[in-house]
Amino acid sequence: VSNPNKWTLVSGTEIICIFTRNIIFDSVSRDPSNNIQNNYDPSYNDPDTVKITVTVAWSNKTSKVVMYLTNWQK
């Protein structure tokens, strides 16, 4: 069995061949009804949720994905 490739997740911008990847981790806040707010408000911080935005650009093209990770077992 050969060793599998290993990935290292790096916050910020990284260039790999023709691809430029940018990963941003943001804090999340929720309103009193528990809905995620578009603008971060520290008074409603949700310490169990992180917003992750990944942008990959290449040859005048861009792909962007926004996702939320949460500690759902808490």
Side-chain angles (χ1 to χ4, degrees), residues 1 6 25 38 40 60 66:
V1 175
K6 293 183 180 182
F25 297 91
N38 289 330
Y40 179 69
N60 297 324
V66 177

Side-chain angles (χ1 to χ4, degrees), residues 1-65:
V1 175
S2 64
N3 291 332
N5 293 334
K6 293 183 180 182
W7 287 54
T8 303
L9 184 60
V10 178
S11 182
T13 301
E14 182 177 27
I15 298 173
I16 302 171
C17 297
I18 65 167
F19 300 99
T20 301
R21 178 175 61 196
N22 188 312
I23 302 174
I24 300 171
F25 297 91
D26 286 313
S27 297
V28 174
S29 57
R30 293 181 184 268
D31 65 19
S33 297
N34 206 31
N35 297 310
I36 292 175
Q37 296 180 313
N38 289 330
N39 298 316
Y40 179 69
D41 180 349
S43 60
Y44 292 106
N45 181 52
D46 178 358
D48 293 317
T49 304
V50 176
K51 178 182 177 184
I52 302 171
T53 305
V54 178
T55 306
V56 178
W58 71 100
S59 303
N60 297 324
K61 297 176 185 164
T62 302
S63 180
K64 180 178 179 179
V65 175

Side-chain angles (χ1 to χ4, degrees), residues 48 70-74:
D48 293 317
T70 183
N71 183 4
W72 58 273
Q73 291 183 336
K74 196 167 189 185

